[in-house]
């Protein structure tokens, strides 16, 4: 059942399913039924709050901090180094542009990677193909290449357009850059995704049998947790944050 729930992307709805299960017991075991209903409703409420979403992100994923000024200064002097931006999804068609585009998460990663390249003088690569089950069309890397050049005025040095997930992002990026003499990769992705990304890059480097240093350059790093009354109210952003945290945590447990 857990595999089915995960495959359908319903992990964030487990408390609601518990509530429905409790309602079904109403006609036989009222005490147990009411307990399940209340626990389910409380779970739905709290899983949609920013406090729980942010807390789960910090507790389960332990995202690394943003690059410091000292690290940025070191990157400016780093030879044979490349920035690799990991894809975050695409929209097959944005009607207002009349073309495919990256999802907001993908655009955020691209923007930060290009900014980091400008600040450090390092070349930038983008890794992203088509996710399994995607509609035919341009890959994430092709879309990113167009946006980087036309909208940001900063062409990408390399693109990797065959990867379908984080594991393949790492394998194919290492295979692309190692022959170019790159021995230091700066990985750009969201903070909540960084632990899984770095683990896959470490495995890819070991499997390739090359000597390559890795630096995490997370973006959207969660700020210091300061609980306010409104943070305990359910919100769409709170639900999304909780769902992302659970998705990444399950991916870590599964070794993905």
């Amino acid at each position: 059942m857990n595999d089915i729930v995960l495959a359908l992307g319903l992990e964030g709805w487990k408390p609601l399913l518990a509530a429905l299960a409790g309602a079904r017991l109403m006609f036989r075991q009222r005490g147990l039924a009411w307990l399940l209903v209340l626990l389910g409703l409380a779970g739905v409420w709290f899983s949609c709050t920013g406090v729980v979403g942010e807390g789960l992100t910090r507790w389960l994923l332990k995202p690394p901090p943003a690059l410091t000024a000292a690290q940025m200064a070191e990157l400016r002097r780093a030879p044979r180094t490349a920035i690799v931006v990991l894809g975050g999804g695409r929209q097959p068609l944005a009607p207002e542009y009349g073309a495919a585009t990256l999802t907001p998460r993908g655009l955020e990663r691209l923007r930060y990677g290009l900014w980091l390249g400008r600040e450090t003088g390092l070349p930038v690569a983008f890794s992203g193909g088509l996710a399994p089950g995607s509609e035919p069309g341009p890959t994430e890397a092709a879309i990113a290449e167009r946006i980087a050049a036309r909208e940001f005025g900063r062409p990408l040095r390399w693109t990797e357009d065959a990867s379908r997930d984080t594991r393949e992002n790492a394998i194919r990026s290492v295979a692309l850059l190692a022959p170019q003499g790159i021995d230091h990769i700066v990985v750009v992705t969201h903070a909540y995704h960084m632990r899984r990304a770095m683990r896959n890059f470490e495995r890819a480097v070991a499997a390739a049998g090359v000597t390559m240093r890795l630096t995490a350059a997370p973006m959207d790093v969660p700020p210091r947790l300061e609980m306010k009354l409104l943070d305990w109210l359910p919100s769409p952003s709170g639900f999304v944050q909780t769902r992302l945290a659970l998705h990444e945590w399950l991916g870590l447990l599964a070794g993905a």
Side-chain angles (χ1 to χ4, degrees):
M1 176 60 73
N2 283 338
D3 291 338
I4 295 175
V5 170
L6 180 60
L8 294 175
L10 299 177
E11 61 269 24
W13 291 90
K14 283 186 178 181
L16 179 58
L17 297 178
L20 294 175
R24 188 172 181 275
L25 292 172
M26 280 289 190
F27 300 102
R28 290 182 294 173
Q29 302 181 41
R30 288 183 176 272
L32 177 60
W34 275 111
L35 176 62
L36 288 176
V37 168
L38 293 175
L39 287 176
L41 292 176
V44 170
W45 178 286
F46 288 114
S47 67
C48 292
T49 64
V51 169
V52 170
E54 204 169 298
L56 287 176
T57 300
R58 290 176 175 277
W59 180 50
L60 296 177
L61 306 179
K62 298 178 175 59
L67 292 174
T68 64
Q71 287 174 308
M72 292 281 287
E74 182 182 345
L75 288 177
R76 293 186 186 100
R77 302 187 297 269
R80 299 186 299 280
T81 299
I83 296 167
V84 175
V85 181
L86 305 189
R90 61 156 199 161
Q91 297 176 9
L93 176 64
E96 64 274 25
Y97 293 109
T101 188
L102 299 177
T103 62
R105 265 180 298 196
L107 283 171
E108 288 173 352
R109 294 178 187 180
L110 177 62
R111 178 190 176 194
Y112 178 58
L114 295 174
W115 177 87
L116 191 59
R118 185 191 68 197
E119 294 296 306
T120 60
L122 297 175
V124 181
F126 189 97
S127 174
L130 295 177
S134 296
E135 298 178 19
T139 62
E140 290 184 55
I143 299 169
E145 186 174 31
R146 168 172 53 83
I147 293 174
R150 295 185 186 178
E151 301 181 27
F152 290 93
R154 297 194 64 82
L156 297 169
R157 177 75 63 87
W158 303 280
T159 55
E160 181 286 300
D161 63 0
S163 56
R164 298 168 296 175
D165 53 27
T166 304
R167 174 178 167 274
E168 292 186 6
N169 285 151
I171 293 172
R172 296 182 184 277
S173 294
V174 170
L176 172 67
L177 297 176
Q180 304 293 323
I182 299 297
D183 61 10
H184 181 193
I185 289 179
V186 180
V187 181
V188 170
T189 188
H190 279 78
Y192 67 79
H193 181 234
M194 186 58 79
R195 272 186 65 197
R196 193 156 63 91
M198 291 298 285
R199 184 171 69 180
N200 277 283
F201 269 87
E202 289 165 0
R203 290 174 175 174
V205 168
V210 298
T211 300
M212 189 171 283
R213 191 156 63 97
L214 301 170
T215 295
M219 48 154 304
D220 198 25
V221 178
R224 181 179 178 183
L225 188 60
E226 295 180 359
M227 292 184 292
K228 302 174 184 177
L229 182 59
L230 292 179
D231 293 334
W232 291 99
L233 296 178
S235 67
S237 60
F239 171 75
V240 169
Q241 192 171 12
T242 297
R243 184 183 183 282
L244 287 173
L246 292 175
H247 174 83
E248 286 299 316
W249 179 63
L250 290 172
L252 284 168
L253 290 181

